[in-house]
Amino acid sequence: MQTPPEHAYPTHWEADVVLRDGGTARIRPITPDDAERLVSFYEQVSDESKYYRFFAPYPRLSARDVRRFTHHDYIDRVGLAATVGGEFIATVRYDRIDDQGLPAKNPEDDQAEVAFLVQDAHQGRGVASALLEHIAAVARERGIRRFAAEVLPANSKMIKVFTDAGYTHKRTFEDGVVRLEFDLEPTEQSMAVMRGREQRAEARSVQRLLAPGSVAVIGTGRTPGGVGRTALRSLLDSGFTGRVHAVNHAFPEDLRQLDPEGVPAVRTLREITDPVDLAVIAVPADRVPDAIRDCGEHGVQGVLVLSSGYAEAGPDGRERQRALLRQARSYGMRLIGPNAFGLINTAPGVRLNASLAPQMPGAGHIGLFTQSGAIGIALLSGLHARGPGDGGIAGISAFVSAGNRADVSGNDLLQYWYEDPDTDVVILYLESIGNPRKFARLARRTAAVKPVVVAKGARHNGTAPPGHAVPTVRVPDSTVAALMRQAGVIRVDTVTELIDAGLLLSSQPLPAGPRIAILGNSESLALLAYDACLTEGLRPQRPRVLASAATPDDFRDALAEALSADGCDAVVVTAIPWVGEGAAVSPGGSEGAALADALRTAATAHPEKPVTVVHLAMDDLAESLAAAGPAPARPDGSAAPAPTEPPPHPVDPAPAPPRTPPAPSHLLRPPAPTGPPPTLAARQATPARDAEADPPRRPRRQPLRIPAYPAAERAVRSLAEAVRYAAWRREAADPGRVPEYDDIQEASAGADIERLLDRLTPDAPTGRSVPVPPQDAEALLARYGIHTRPVLPAPDPDTAVRAAARLGYPVALKTTAPHLRHRPDLGGVRLDIAGEAELRRTYAELTDYLGSPEELRPVVQSMVPRGVDTVVRAAIDPAAGAVLSFGLAGAPSQLLGDIAHRLIPATDREVAEQIRSIRAAPLLFGWRGSQPVDTAALGELLLRVSRLVDDHPEVVGVDLEPVVVAAQGLSVLGATVRLARPPATTDLGPRRLPVY
């Protein structure tokens, strides 16, 4: 770059973003090398847009203008451009000004004037809104706290960009110009606006992939077989409602149709005159770049790369994968893969099977995402085996297997399924989580309206798939699982459990509580179900055992009675083939169907309570229960009315904590039409399918399908997950609040942190943490109302005596050597020292027994009221985000893993539950006659630590140990803090696509 060394090109400002219509653009700083691009961009802007920008006719840029708009110091003058295909589609710049509106000469001036220009062909895509988010973040980084903009009153679009951003603003009108001034400090409203735009844009980008109007298979073989030809056959066999093209540069020049499929055959995409929405690429890895280039030039909206040979193949493949992602995004395309298995959409208006699956799954209401093709096959096969073949209870709404997930990931699918009316249950198989903070946020929001079931593979260090770039895991898998559950995620361990839970949640209402009725014609099987309920923490009633020769009518009556009881929240029915001369149905293939009809009859009368069935040697029962079947008759023989459809999971959705506002109500509606999605500035591609139009909807499920399991443990485990999830939904409806404390000095703490980072990390790379000196750590914590007991060094007995006299007796003498720190069991802590003689004697004993003062680093501290020793920690973990941890101090808690974790920011309700959730919690509440301690003060301390880490992402570690909680109040006896410059890409900054 041509910029001076002191103003080096800020690489971390570069970002890929998803726009309102689902396409992507790249945002980056403007450099002197962009002069020709800027001129070309300006020539394509209409005269009206130029007038709005400069308040006068301005047909062309002068050489002086070009230099001014391309030469920046990246501090007082900054320009950003949004590009697609390397071409500018929009620009934004700010110039620092003083209070008089003149160019700033004082670096302390914290105001800047901002201006935008968006190419007309790309207006309405949300480009200016995305640029505003990024230029605001840049300005805050450079010490600018306020933007000013002057806009002509007729330029209503730009006025709306500013006023809708959610920042605190002031609007004035003078001399025919609207002047807007707004603070750049993020507000709850600005964060809600940003995340709402992010959700709509990313959901739209996935919708474009799942509902294309036309598909081109690049790499279709000339003979049957091979990946490309298999993908083409899958598309055709699924009944895809759009257009299909076969592409292969090796086709004969005179070939116009590929037989026997009967689809148009072309050598290159350029020969296709119509738009192509999705390209399925199945060529060798070394030919993929050419295919991506052809797709980008043709205006393809998204690509599915089935080809392998990327990050899973080693370092060279990883670089090849990164280049592939850069190339696809440069053209504004989303990418699934590489090394992907494919995607499926069973909607009747689409019927897309762009995968290597041998058959189209049945339509249903389970959304399925996997990172592994093999697991994807297992899940599709398992669901197909559990259903009758028509979808129904085991049907899916959409399926995506992303392979190396270089671009589209589980987070994108969560954004889409959050508002997809055809998906009732989300199932994810994940081997890595690229953006843990965002995943936790999106999972929590989605789980508030529909179940999210996750199985996590590669749970231990060193087992991540080579195709995935994943952060190092610092917390045990059990902790990650607990944090997922806090976000409402149903965490399971196996593919079988994924299917089991998905079937129950997609076909049954959520239970109102843990009270389980058990009935059946086998005492042994009923007792197994009873024991399984106890193991899972449910409250089973005494099983009702029917006769071994019980008829379907007996089952129907027993089930109806159990469901009608007020003390029952769900029913587990156990069944074995019945025997006896009086059986109403002869043994064989018909007994399962008869029993299924009887159970459906009883269940239909109580659609608000879930029913699940355990069977042995009755496969026909499972098949009959999974089938839709006719509406059952009433016991008197008359036809039962068709059940009205309840919401899939009618539990009040959970609002987010007040400091993280809930999604606005408009997120619950499909996004408004945005018109045809532009691609490159040189052309405008019109999609063949209006994805915003109401597509044909799937028939909604009726509560006549009942899940059946071949083992009591599997049925009860799935039911228990539903009970726990329903309880989370009810509790999340009132999640508590993040308190505001009047004595917190957030701005002063931020200034302290900046000074400390400048002093402690002048040359440290971004992300590397450093410990804060003790005195500075105490001062920083005090900004948040966290006060630590003074500790004075005691390198020799005389200094120890002076320290004790200063603090006042009684005192404690402690070692701070790393191998003895927080280990009173090793004798490194001596308490209740009453006077000078005792202190000198204790000092001598300590050094004689454990080592020299230089090794032990002894300190003196005043005694505090007795209580329970606890530990409070907060850390930024790459596998879980910001985590707040609590437990009792000492080796037993560490050895037993008795530590409770919560995601940050934590609410008062979550903190109260966290304190009570550890197994040693009775010690805090008066166990065996001891005095209860001040858990209210402990909860406040946890909330203050949570606020500190949430407000300042630079604080990557806080360790308070021990925290002595007494009957009244508490004392923090030891504290350490670690700081690090946060990475440029966090979930707290402007929206951007991740780079793996």
Side-chain angles (χ1 to χ4, degrees):
M1 296 299 171
Q2 305 297 319
T3 53
E6 63 271 23
H7 300 155
Y9 178 82
T11 306
H12 64 283
W13 292 352
E14 296 180 350
D16 295 305
V17 298
V18 183
L19 303 178
R20 182 180 300 155
D21 62 359
T24 66
R26 183 161 185 79
I27 293 176
R28 64 170 177 82
I30 297 174
T31 73
D33 297 336
D34 290 320
E36 292 185 7
R37 294 185 186 90
L38 180 66
V39 171
S40 175
F41 157 73
Y42 194 78
E43 290 173 349
Q44 299 177 63
V45 175
S46 69
D47 291 339
E48 180 184 50
S49 295
K50 293 173 182 175
Y51 186 88
Y52 284 157
R53 169 64 176 86
F54 294 103
F55 298 3
Y58 215 87
R60 64 185 58 84
L61 296 175
S62 66
R64 182 178 179 181
D65 292 330
V66 172
R67 177 175 178 81
R68 177 187 169 210
F69 293 147
T70 56
H71 286 69
H72 305 94
D73 61 8
Y74 302 123
I75 295 179
D76 297 330
R77 302 185 320 279
V78 172
L80 302 180
T83 69
V84 174
E87 305 172 11
F88 282 13
I89 63 170
T91 62
V92 63
R93 64 176 284 113
Y94 78 67
D95 293 271
R96 193 188 299 261
I97 58 176
D98 59 20
D99 293 339
Q100 306 300 316
L102 301 175
K105 297 181 180 179
N106 187 342
E108 299 300 319
D109 289 326
D110 62 356
Q111 182 175 237
E113 189 172 44
V114 65
F116 293 80
L117 186 59
V118 181
Q119 203 174 93
D120 295 66
H122 294 270
Q123 292 178 8
R125 301 184 66 198
V127 183
S129 298
L131 281 173
L132 177 58
E133 291 176 17
H134 285 262
I135 196 72
V138 168
R140 289 193 297 269
E141 180 181 329
R142 296 311 194 198
I144 293 172
R145 298 291 175 258
R146 189 168 64 258
F147 269 167
E150 294 186 345
V151 187
L152 291 175
N155 194 359
S156 57
K157 292 182 180 178
M158 188 53 61
I159 293 175
K160 187 174 175 62
V161 167
F162 291 122
T163 58
D164 287 356
Y167 295 109
T168 303
H169 68 276
K170 181 175 70 175
R171 179 173 175 173
T172 58
F173 181 78
E174 187 177 351
D175 297 331
V177 175
V178 176
R179 181 175 176 84
L180 295 163
E181 296 182 3
F182 49 98
D183 296 332
L184 298 183
E185 188 65 27
T187 65
E188 291 185 1
Q189 183 180 358
S190 69
M191 292 298 296
V193 168
M194 182 179 71
R195 287 174 173 172
R197 289 171 173 167
E198 173 195 63
Q199 188 275 327
R200 292 190 296 275
E202 293 180 0
R204 179 78 167 105
S205 72
V206 174
Q207 184 184 40
R208 300 202 315 178
L209 294 167
L210 288 173
S214 60
V215 178
V217 181
I218 302 175
T220 302
R222 289 174 290 176
T223 58
V227 174
R229 196 67 173 255
T230 300
L232 179 69
R233 287 301 320 171
S234 296
L235 272 170
L236 299 175
D237 292 345
S238 67
F240 176 56
T241 59
R243 299 181 303 276
V244 179
H245 301 272
V247 183
N248 190 332
H249 75 285
F251 282 158
E253 293 186 5
D254 57 349
L255 183 65
R256 296 293 177 265
Q257 178 173 294
L258 185 67
D259 292 321
E261 290 84 359
V263 300
V266 296
R267 290 165 57 87
T268 66
L269 284 178
R270 290 188 295 272
E271 300 176 36
I272 303 175
T273 57
D274 297 324
V276 174
D277 300 323
L278 174 68
V280 180
I281 298 178
V283 299
D286 60 347
R287 287 173 45 202
V288 170
D290 294 336
I292 295 291
R293 184 194 63 240
D294 292 345
C295 291
E297 293 176 352
H298 193 74
V300 174
Q301 295 180 351
V303 292
L304 166 64
V305 179
L306 305 178
S307 312
S308 59
Y310 288 89
E312 79 282 358
D316 292 342
R318 183 177 296 278
E319 289 304 315
R320 192 180 301 121
Q321 180 170 304
R322 289 171 176 160
L324 167 66
L325 178 60
R326 288 194 298 268
Q327 186 184 18
R329 287 182 176 171
S330 72
Y331 288 107
M333 299 184 296
R334 296 303 307 266
L335 164 71
I336 297 179
N339 196 28
F341 184 72
L343 70 158
I344 297 171
N345 184 356
T346 63
V350 181
R351 293 200 55 80
L352 171 73
N353 181 8
S355 77
L356 303 179
Q359 61 186 18
M360 181 75 166
H365 301 282
I366 297 175
L368 190 57
F369 174 85
T370 76
Q371 293 175 348
S372 162
I375 300 300
I377 295 172
L379 284 168
L380 291 175
S381 176
L383 288 171
H384 179 75
R386 300 285 287 275
D390 65 344
I393 192 172
I396 69 169
S397 58
F399 164 81
V400 175
S401 181
N404 294 0
R405 65 119 177 89
D407 182 20
V408 173
S409 68
N411 284 348
D412 295 286
L413 271 298
L414 284 173
Q415 298 276 39
Y416 172 73
W417 281 323
Y418 168 67
E419 62 179 6
D420 177 32
D422 289 324
T423 300
D424 293 347
V425 178
V426 173
I427 291 180
L428 307 174
Y429 174 78
L430 306 176
E431 292 173 338
S432 60
I433 302 176
N435 190 336
R437 277 194 179 212
K438 184 174 181 180
F439 173 79
R441 171 168 59 85
L442 299 186
R444 185 186 188 106
R445 186 193 59 192
T446 304
V449 295
K450 60 188 67 173
V452 177
V453 189
V454 174
K456 177 73 168 61
R459 294 181 298 221
H460 305 288
N461 287 332
T463 59
H468 299 196
V470 295
T472 302
V473 178
R474 295 177 188 160
V475 296
D477 179 68
S478 59
T479 302
V480 176
L483 295 173
M484 281 190 177
R485 291 191 183 279
Q486 185 199 348
V489 172
I490 299 171
R491 171 73 183 270
V492 298
D493 295 325
T494 67
V495 171
T496 300
E497 290 176 354
L498 275 177
I499 296 172
D500 287 347
L503 292 182
L504 186 140
L505 291 164
S506 66
S507 63
Q508 298 296 301
L510 293 177
R515 300 169 299 181
I516 311 300
I518 303 171
L519 63 92
N521 62 347
S522 168
E523 182 178 12
S524 298
L525 192 55
L527 287 175
L528 286 174
Y530 182 87
D531 289 342
C533 287
L534 292 175
T535 300
E536 293 292 339
L538 303 177
R539 291 165 52 190
Q541 301 171 3
R542 183 179 297 277
R544 178 176 177 180
V545 181
L546 307 177
S548 59
T551 66
D553 289 344
D554 295 331
F555 273 91
R556 181 197 63 212
D557 295 342
L559 178 57
E561 180 180 344
L563 289 170
S564 62
D566 293 336
C568 168
D569 298 314
V571 180
V572 176
V573 178
T574 63
I576 62 173
W578 55 83
V579 294
E581 296 180 359
V585 179
S586 60
S590 60
E591 62 181 2
L595 181 54
D597 288 342
L599 296 176
R600 275 199 295 259
T601 300
T604 301
H606 297 275
E608 77 282 0
K609 294 184 179 182
V611 177
T612 185
V613 173
V614 180
H615 67 93
L616 292 181
M618 295 187 70
D619 292 340
D620 58 330
L621 172 61
E623 294 172 3
S624 299
L625 288 171
R634 289 194 179 99
D636 62 3
S638 63
T644 57
E645 178 202 349
H649 297 290
V651 176
D652 291 337
R659 281 173 54 83
T660 306
S665 59
H666 59 261
L667 295 189
L668 304 179
R669 303 191 299 269
T674 57
T679 52
L680 299 181
R683 53 171 165 65
Q684 195 86 359
T686 302
R689 180 190 307 281
D690 182 5
E692 293 295 339
D694 291 336
R697 295 285 299 279
R698 298 178 180 84
R700 299 302 293 164
R701 62 172 175 79
Q702 302 292 339
L704 297 178
R705 302 177 191 255
I706 301 174
Y709 301 86
E713 296 79 11
R714 289 171 56 182
V716 171
R717 188 179 299 117
S718 299
L719 184 58
E721 295 291 1
V723 168
R724 287 188 282 266
Y725 169 67
W728 177 87
R729 284 274 289 267
R730 289 189 294 270
E731 293 170 358
D734 181 19
R737 64 188 184 91
V738 177
E740 297 285 350
Y741 296 107
D742 294 337
D743 60 342
I744 285 182
Q745 304 171 34
E746 181 177 345
S748 299
D752 291 346
I753 290 169
E754 192 63 32
R755 285 193 295 270
L756 286 169
L757 285 172
D758 290 341
R759 191 178 88 210
L760 301 174
T761 63
D763 302 316
T766 297
R768 178 176 296 177
S769 66
V770 294
V772 177
Q775 290 185 342
D776 294 314
E778 292 173 8
L780 176 60
L781 291 170
R783 299 284 193 189
Y784 272 72
I786 303 168
H787 301 285
T788 60
R789 288 278 177 161
V791 176
L792 300 180
D796 55 68
D798 293 337
T799 305
V801 169
R802 289 193 295 270
R806 178 179 172 185
L807 295 173
Y809 290 98
V811 297
L813 181 65
K814 305 189 296 186
T815 63
T816 60
H819 66 289
L820 296 173
R821 189 175 178 83
H822 307 311
R823 290 296 306 275
D825 55 306
L826 297 181
V829 178
R830 305 297 173 89
L831 306 176
D832 289 318
I833 301 174
E836 177 180 345
E838 184 179 355
L839 176 58
R840 290 183 180 278
R841 184 175 64 255
T842 303
Y843 196 101
E845 291 174 355
L846 202 66
T847 53
D848 290 343
Y849 177 62
L850 295 175
S852 67
E854 292 76 13
E855 296 176 277
L856 302 183
R857 306 174 196 174
V859 296
V860 173
Q861 192 171 45
S862 60
M863 290 296 298
V864 299
R866 293 201 176 269
V868 178
D869 289 2
T870 64
V871 180
V872 173
R873 293 191 178 99
I876 306 296
D877 186 87
V883 179
L884 181 68
S885 303
F886 166 74
L888 297 192
S893 292
Q894 296 181 12
L895 292 172
L896 298 175
D898 191 18
I899 300 173
H901 307 275
R902 292 295 183 270
L903 294 173
I904 291 175
T907 67
D908 52 1
R909 179 169 181 166
E910 290 170 340
V911 161
E913 294 171 350
Q914 181 180 20
I915 293 172
R916 287 170 168 78
S917 65
I918 61 173
R919 284 171 286 178
L923 292 173
L924 302 170
F925 296 95
W927 184 65
R928 289 191 174 181
S930 62
Q931 189 174 18
V933 300
D934 193 348
T935 54
L938 178 59
E940 181 178 328
L941 176 66
L942 285 162
L943 288 167
R944 289 178 180 273
V945 172
S946 173
R947 280 289 309 273
L948 172 62
V949 176
D950 188 45
D951 291 343
H952 305 284
E954 300 89 350
V955 180
V956 297
V958 175
D959 191 336
L960 307 181
E961 182 179 4
V963 176
V964 181
V965 188
Q968 291 186 352
L970 55 77
S971 302
V972 180
L973 302 187
T976 60
V977 177
R978 298 190 69 87
L979 298 180
R981 296 193 181 278
T985 56
T986 70
D987 192 42
L988 304 177
R991 52 191 159 122
R992 63 173 68 209
L993 288 171
V995 179
Y996 300 116

PDB file of all heavy atoms in Angstrom, residues 299-311:
ATOM      1  N   GLY A 299     -23.829 -14.661 -12.901  1.00  0.00           N
ATOM      2  CA  GLY A 299     -24.795 -14.163 -11.937  1.00  0.00           C
ATOM      3  C   GLY A 299     -25.441 -15.236 -11.090  1.00  0.00           C
ATOM      4  O   GLY A 299     -26.537 -15.037 -10.553  1.00  0.00           O
ATOM      5  N   VAL A 300     -24.773 -16.386 -10.935  1.00  0.00           N
ATOM      6  CA  VAL A 300     -25.302 -17.445 -10.078  1.00  0.00           C
ATOM      7  C   VAL A 300     -25.366 -16.944  -8.640  1.00  0.00           C
ATOM      8  O   VAL A 300     -24.457 -16.257  -8.166  1.00  0.00           O
ATOM      9  CB  VAL A 300     -24.420 -18.707 -10.189  1.00  0.00           C
ATOM     10  CG1 VAL A 300     -24.869 -19.775  -9.201  1.00  0.00           C
ATOM     11  CG2 VAL A 300     -24.464 -19.252 -11.614  1.00  0.00           C
ATOM     12  N   GLN A 301     -26.441 -17.289  -7.940  1.00  0.00           N
ATOM     13  CA  GLN A 301     -26.632 -16.774  -6.577  1.00  0.00           C
ATOM     14  C   GLN A 301     -25.899 -17.597  -5.519  1.00  0.00           C
ATOM     15  O   GLN A 301     -25.512 -17.060  -4.482  1.00  0.00           O
ATOM     16  CB  GLN A 301     -28.128 -16.739  -6.250  1.00  0.00           C
ATOM     17  CG  GLN A 301     -28.901 -15.759  -7.121  1.00  0.00           C
ATOM     18  CD  GLN A 301     -30.374 -15.735  -6.791  1.00  0.00           C
ATOM     19  OE1 GLN A 301     -30.862 -16.562  -6.028  1.00  0.00           O
ATOM     20  NE2 GLN A 301     -31.094 -14.795  -7.374  1.00  0.00           N
ATOM     21  N   GLY A 302     -25.729 -18.889  -5.735  1.00  0.00           N
ATOM     22  CA  GLY A 302     -25.063 -19.728  -4.743  1.00  0.00           C
ATOM     23  C   GLY A 302     -24.483 -20.958  -5.398  1.00  0.00           C
ATOM     24  O   GLY A 302     -24.945 -21.401  -6.457  1.00  0.00           O
ATOM     25  N   VAL A 303     -23.458 -21.531  -4.752  1.00  0.00           N
ATOM     26  CA  VAL A 303     -22.803 -22.714  -5.296  1.00  0.00           C
ATOM     27  C   VAL A 303     -22.732 -23.789  -4.223  1.00  0.00           C
ATOM     28  O   VAL A 303     -22.531 -23.513  -3.041  1.00  0.00           O
ATOM     29  CB  VAL A 303     -21.386 -22.397  -5.836  1.00  0.00           C
ATOM     30  CG1 VAL A 303     -21.456 -21.514  -7.056  1.00  0.00           C
ATOM     31  CG2 VAL A 303     -20.524 -21.747  -4.765  1.00  0.00           C
ATOM     32  N   LEU A 304     -22.928 -25.015  -4.654  1.00  0.00           N
ATOM     33  CA  LEU A 304     -22.777 -26.207  -3.826  1.00  0.00           C
ATOM     34  C   LEU A 304     -21.596 -26.990  -4.386  1.00  0.00           C
ATOM     35  O   LEU A 304     -21.668 -27.493  -5.517  1.00  0.00           O
ATOM     36  CB  LEU A 304     -24.060 -27.037  -3.865  1.00  0.00           C
ATOM     37  CG  LEU A 304     -23.989 -28.468  -3.326  1.00  0.00           C
ATOM     38  CD1 LEU A 304     -23.678 -28.461  -1.840  1.00  0.00           C
ATOM     39  CD2 LEU A 304     -25.297 -29.214  -3.586  1.00  0.00           C
ATOM     40  N   VAL A 305     -20.523 -27.082  -3.625  1.00  0.00           N
ATOM     41  CA  VAL A 305     -19.298 -27.732  -4.097  1.00  0.00           C
ATOM     42  C   VAL A 305     -19.224 -29.121  -3.483  1.00  0.00           C
ATOM     43  O   VAL A 305     -18.984 -29.277  -2.282  1.00  0.00           O
ATOM     44  CB  VAL A 305     -18.051 -26.896  -3.746  1.00  0.00           C
ATOM     45  CG1 VAL A 305     -16.791 -27.602  -4.233  1.00  0.00           C
ATOM     46  CG2 VAL A 305     -18.150 -25.509  -4.359  1.00  0.00           C
ATOM     47  N   LEU A 306     -19.440 -30.140  -4.319  1.00  0.00           N
ATOM     48  CA  LEU A 306     -19.331 -31.520  -3.877  1.00  0.00           C
ATOM     49  C   LEU A 306     -17.893 -32.017  -3.937  1.00  0.00           C
ATOM     50  O   LEU A 306     -17.564 -33.037  -3.324  1.00  0.00           O
ATOM     51  CB  LEU A 306     -20.217 -32.416  -4.749  1.00  0.00           C
ATOM     52  CG  LEU A 306     -21.698 -32.038  -4.854  1.00  0.00           C
ATOM     53  CD1 LEU A 306     -22.428 -32.999  -5.789  1.00  0.00           C
ATOM     54  CD2 LEU A 306     -22.346 -32.040  -3.481  1.00  0.00           C
ATOM     55  N   SER A 307     -17.045 -31.313  -4.658  1.00  0.00           N
ATOM     56  CA  SER A 307     -15.670 -31.751  -4.888  1.00  0.00           C
ATOM     57  C   SER A 307     -14.896 -31.819  -3.580  1.00  0.00           C
ATOM     58  O   SER A 307     -15.079 -31.001  -2.676  1.00  0.00           O
ATOM     59  CB  SER A 307     -14.969 -30.784  -5.846  1.00  0.00           C
ATOM     60  OG  SER A 307     -15.771 -30.525  -6.990  1.00  0.00           O
ATOM     61  N   SER A 308     -13.995 -32.784  -3.490  1.00  0.00           N
ATOM     62  CA  SER A 308     -13.115 -32.930  -2.339  1.00  0.00           C
ATOM     63  C   SER A 308     -11.711 -32.480  -2.727  1.00  0.00           C
ATOM     64  O   SER A 308     -11.472 -32.025  -3.847  1.00  0.00           O
ATOM     65  CB  SER A 308     -13.111 -34.375  -1.856  1.00  0.00           C
ATOM     66  OG  SER A 308     -12.684 -35.237  -2.901  1.00  0.00           O
ATOM     67  N   GLY A 309     -10.777 -32.628  -1.777  1.00  0.00           N
ATOM     68  CA  GLY A 309      -9.408 -32.216  -2.031  1.00  0.00           C
ATOM     69  C   GLY A 309      -9.096 -30.858  -1.446  1.00  0.00           C
ATOM     70  O   GLY A 309      -8.217 -30.145  -1.951  1.00  0.00           O
ATOM     71  N   TYR A 310      -9.770 -30.499  -0.370  1.00  0.00           N
ATOM     72  CA  TYR A 310      -9.578 -29.185   0.236  1.00  0.00           C
ATOM     73  C   TYR A 310      -8.962 -29.335   1.623  1.00  0.00           C
ATOM     74  O   TYR A 310      -8.012 -30.077   1.793  1.00  0.00           O
ATOM     75  CB  TYR A 310     -10.904 -28.422   0.249  1.00  0.00           C
ATOM     76  CG  TYR A 310     -11.292 -27.973  -1.148  1.00  0.00           C
ATOM     77  CD1 TYR A 310     -12.048 -28.782  -1.978  1.00  0.00           C
ATOM     78  CD2 TYR A 310     -10.845 -26.751  -1.648  1.00  0.00           C
ATOM     79  CE1 TYR A 310     -12.373 -28.394  -3.268  1.00  0.00           C
ATOM     80  CE2 TYR A 310     -11.158 -26.344  -2.937  1.00  0.00           C
ATOM     81  CZ  TYR A 310     -11.918 -27.167  -3.745  1.00  0.00           C
ATOM     82  OH  TYR A 310     -12.227 -26.785  -5.021  1.00  0.00           O
ATOM     83  N   ALA A 311      -9.498 -28.657   2.624  1.00  0.00           N
ATOM     84  CA  ALA A 311      -8.840 -28.632   3.928  1.00  0.00           C
ATOM     85  C   ALA A 311      -8.676 -30.014   4.529  1.00  0.00           C
ATOM     86  O   ALA A 311      -7.762 -30.249   5.323  1.00  0.00           O
ATOM     87  CB  ALA A 311      -9.621 -27.732   4.884  1.00  0.00           C
TER      88      ALA A 311
END
